[in-house]
Amino acid sequence: MFIAGFPAGAWGTNCYLVAPAPGEECVIVDPGHEATQGVEDLIREHRLKPVAVVLTHGHIDHVASVVPVCGAQGVPAWIHPEDRYMMADPERALGRSLGQQLMGSITVGEPDDVRELKDGSVLELAGLRLTVDHAPGHTKGSVTFRTPAAADLPPVLFSGDLLFAGSIGRTDLPGGDGDAIMRSLARVCLPLDDATVVLSGHGTQTTIGRERATNPYLQQAAGAHGAPGLPRRGM
């Protein structure tokens, strides 16, 4: 499996292109703020052919480029129905004060073809197998995408803003829920093999094993003594 990514825009949101190998079809994960050029550069550099955009949640820092990317490539976008409204109404998703700061600089809306994700569903796209896990807490419609182990890679979790290296997503925006995110960590992340590579919405790559050993929130979710006062990340 081939994965290329880059941090996009003002919030450094990680956008990933995933394919069986260079020169093949690919899936684009979370084309956020100012991600269009980076996506085009990776497509050209690695001779990729996008077949879909998949979104871990609806916050504008993860979906701001979904319309131009889907339009340019002629592909659908997949999102959980609880977060679908955020593509067209990010002000309601972020709260009025934060939303108003963004509306003058970002064009919002839905792409022509939007498809809805379901918990436990498996997307067979571009020769890949992506398992969808609904993981509310950061937003009501947050999801993760899992790939099985491949010949050249361990399993991979695209965690969005559920789990970061050393932290988790914030829960103080509309739709956030601290109890729900802890339940999502326990249900979605804790059962995974320690070798699972975590590619999150912000920050550096990590593994489930490393986070199980060091992340206070994941430890708290497992019933250990955590440190809930530590700062959380993401928009």
Side-chain angles (χ1 to χ4, degrees), residues 53 55 63 65-71 75-79 84 87-88 108-115:
V53 166
L55 302 168
V63 306
S65 296
V66 68
V67 170
V69 168
C70 286
V75 300
W78 293 80
I79 192 168
R84 180 171 177 170
M87 290 190 287
V108 298
E110 285 194 358
D112 292 336
D113 188 353
V114 179
R115 305 180 189 184

Side-chain angles (χ1 to χ4, degrees), residues 21-83:
E24 298 192 22
E25 293 182 336
C26 75
V27 171
I28 302 167
V29 183
D30 287 354
H33 182 232
E34 297 182 347
T36 305
Q37 188 61 55
V39 168
E40 292 176 354
D41 290 345
L42 287 179
I43 289 171
R44 182 172 55 254
E45 178 182 355
H46 301 290
R47 310 177 316 282
L48 299 170
K49 178 177 173 52
V51 299
V53 166
V54 297
L55 302 168
T56 61
H57 63 289
H59 280 160
I60 194 68
D61 61 323
H62 289 251
V63 306
S65 296
V66 68
V67 170
V69 168
C70 286
Q73 304 300 326
V75 300
W78 293 80
I79 192 168
H80 192 276
E82 291 266 24
D83 277 14

Side-chain angles (χ1 to χ4, degrees), residues 12-229:
T13 304
N14 291 324
C15 176
Y16 303 100
L17 280 70
V18 191
E24 298 192 22
E25 293 182 336
C26 75
V27 171
I28 302 167
V29 183
D30 287 354
H33 182 232
E34 297 182 347
T36 305
Q37 188 61 55
V39 168
E40 292 176 354
D41 290 345
L42 287 179
I43 289 171
R44 182 172 55 254
E45 178 182 355
H46 301 290
R47 310 177 316 282
L48 299 170
K49 178 177 173 52
V51 299
V53 166
V54 297
L55 302 168
T56 61
H57 63 289
H59 280 160
I60 194 68
D61 61 323
H62 289 251
V63 306
S65 296
V66 68
V67 170
V69 168
C70 286
Q73 304 300 326
V75 300
W78 293 80
I79 192 168
H80 192 276
E82 291 266 24
D83 277 14
R84 180 171 177 170
Y85 76 93
M86 296 184 185
M87 290 190 287
D89 193 0
E91 183 174 322
R92 183 158 67 96
L94 298 176
R96 185 171 181 83
S97 60
L98 181 56
Q100 283 184 328
Q101 297 174 31
L102 301 175
M103 293 308 96
S105 60
I106 297 177
T107 301
V108 298
E110 285 194 358
D112 292 336
D113 188 353
V114 179
R115 305 180 189 184
E116 295 186 347
L117 299 166
K118 295 181 181 179
D119 182 46
S121 62
V122 177
L123 302 181
E124 302 276 0
L125 298 168
L128 304 167
R129 183 178 177 88
L130 301 175
T131 299
V132 179
D133 289 302
H134 186 207
H138 181 61
T139 67
K140 290 183 178 180
S142 289
V143 302
T144 65
F145 301 102
R146 289 185 284 121
T147 70
D152 56 341
L153 276 179
V156 176
L157 175 71
F158 296 94
S159 65
D161 286 5
L162 171 65
L163 179 67
F164 303 123
S167 191
I168 60 174
R170 62 190 291 182
T171 58
D172 58 331
L173 295 173
D177 185 322
D179 290 336
I181 203 169
M182 298 307 291
R183 291 193 296 270
S184 292
L185 289 168
R187 183 177 70 87
V188 174
C189 297
L190 287 176
L192 299 178
D193 188 276
D194 281 352
T196 302
V197 174
V198 179
L199 299 178
S200 62
H202 301 270
T204 59
Q205 173 179 315
T206 185
T207 66
I208 288 293
R210 185 178 302 138
E211 297 313 298
R212 200 190 309 275
T214 63
N215 188 315
Y217 298 101
L218 202 58
Q219 292 173 347
Q220 183 181 352
H225 294 289

